[in-house]
């Protein structure tokens, strides 16, 4: 993965057709997505249960871009090697998921993945300066994690603006996860974000039989964000 701050769209397969993951992934990549976002939930840290390492290993051969894996689980450390071994390019862990986030980030990098740090809407930035040398990405949640299709929380805009100033010229992506549409993505792009996770925002209205809709949705979010990024 070569670092740049160009706008990237990362559709969340949580909104895809679970019976057709391979075809869905090929469809969104053919339609121009940059990364494929995989939401891992444990029914404990968040109130939903999704994908284990075997599922990731099964879909990995279908992903030609970047497998961006968001671990909404607690504890995290015991599962890092399994998810890395399943093919993750990026593993993102939550600051709130355990007492030793620095150790978690070390373990992610030791497993050969890029390390991401996720922050819930109610979490501030106080710990982030102490972790900047350990991370490749900060994922700012603009909904409370656990379910797709939630409404964007506007208070996170200023958090992203502060985070962008904190990061400076470091090669760290700012990823936004939650409620991303052509209306909300530019608010975050202007504040300094460059990676946009969209579930229903990409998959709504389309299917593997009608993938052009995915492309329309991806292009709409990208063009709105790029216009705001300047």
């Amino acid at each position: 993965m070569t670092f740049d701050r160009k706008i990237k769209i990362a559709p969340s397969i949580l909104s895809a057709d679970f019976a057709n993951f391979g075809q869905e992934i090929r469809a969104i990549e053919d339609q121009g997505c940059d990364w494929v976002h995989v939401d891992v939930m444990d029914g404990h840290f968040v109130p939903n249960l999704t994908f284990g390492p075997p599922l990731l290993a099964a879909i990995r051969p279908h992903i030609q871009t970047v497998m961006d894996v968001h671990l909404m689980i607690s504890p995290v450390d015991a599962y890092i090697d399994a998810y890395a071994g399943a093919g993750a390019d990026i593993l993102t862990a939550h600051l709130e998921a355990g007492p030793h986030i620095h150790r978690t980030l070390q373990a992610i990098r030791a497993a050969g993945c890029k390390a991401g740090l996720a922050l819930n809407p109610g979490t501030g930035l106080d710990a982030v300066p102490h972790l900047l040398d350990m991370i490749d990405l900060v994922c700012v949640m603009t909904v409370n994690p656990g379910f797709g299709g939630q409404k964007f929380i506007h208070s996170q805009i200023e958090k992203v603006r502060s985070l962008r100033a904190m990061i400076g010229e470091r090669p760290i992506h700012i990823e936004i996860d939650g409620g991303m549409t052509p209306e909300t993505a530019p608010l975050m792009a202007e504040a300094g974000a460059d990676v946009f996770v969209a579930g229903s925002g990409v998959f709504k209205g389309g299917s593997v039989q009608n993938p052009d809709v995915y492309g329309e949705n991806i292009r709409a979010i990208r063009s709105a964000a790029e216009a705001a990024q300047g």
Side-chain angles (χ1 to χ4, degrees):
M1 292 172 55
T2 302
F3 180 85
D4 62 58
R5 297 196 191 280
K6 293 178 182 176
I7 298 297
K8 294 171 182 60
I9 309 301
S12 168
I13 62 168
L14 190 64
S15 295
D17 177 358
F18 283 20
N20 289 293
F21 272 146
Q23 292 179 47
E24 290 275 48
I25 289 164
R26 289 192 294 275
I28 56 175
E29 290 191 333
D30 288 346
Q31 292 295 325
C33 80
D34 301 283
W35 297 358
V36 175
H37 190 82
V38 183
D39 288 305
V40 175
M41 305 181 188
D42 64 359
H44 164 69
F45 181 66
V46 292
N48 201 354
L49 186 64
T50 60
F51 313 125
L55 185 280
L56 272 67
I59 65 173
R60 175 71 251 197
H62 299 277
I63 297 175
Q64 303 303 309
T65 54
V66 172
M67 183 188 270
D68 176 32
V69 179
H70 181 185
L71 297 175
M72 287 171 270
I73 65 176
S74 177
V76 181
D77 294 11
Y79 299 97
I80 288 170
D81 286 344
Y83 281 101
D89 294 301
I90 303 166
L91 279 179
T92 296
H94 272 259
L95 177 66
E96 309 87 359
H100 303 296
I101 187 63
H102 191 282
R103 177 183 295 158
T104 299
L105 296 168
Q106 282 181 315
I108 290 171
R109 283 190 163 178
C113 297
K114 298 289 188 181
L117 174 71
L119 305 172
N120 283 337
T123 300
L125 299 176
D126 291 351
V128 175
H130 309 288
L131 300 169
L132 288 174
D133 64 339
M134 298 298 303
I135 56 179
D136 303 287
L137 175 149
V138 180
C139 176
V140 176
M141 297 299 300
T142 46
V143 300
N144 286 296
F147 294 98
Q150 299 183 71
K151 297 295 185 182
F152 175 80
I153 299 173
H154 282 76
S155 64
Q156 304 307 294
I157 298 171
E158 289 308 311
K159 181 191 287 187
V160 168
R161 201 179 305 281
S162 298
L163 179 62
R164 184 70 195 85
M166 189 182 293
I167 287 171
E169 296 305 311
R170 296 176 180 87
I172 299 172
H173 294 291
I174 299 178
E175 178 176 74
I176 307 300
D177 189 348
M180 286 294 95
T181 68
E183 291 70 45
T184 56
L187 303 175
M188 287 307 202
E190 189 277 329
D194 59 294
V195 182
F196 298 87
V197 176
S200 55
V202 166
F203 286 98
K204 64 181 179 184
S207 66
V208 293
Q209 291 78 30
N210 186 23
D212 290 350
V213 175
Y214 298 162
E216 293 167 7
N217 293 336
I218 289 168
R219 288 189 292 275
I221 296 171
R222 188 192 306 279
S223 62
E226 286 177 344
Q229 190 183 48

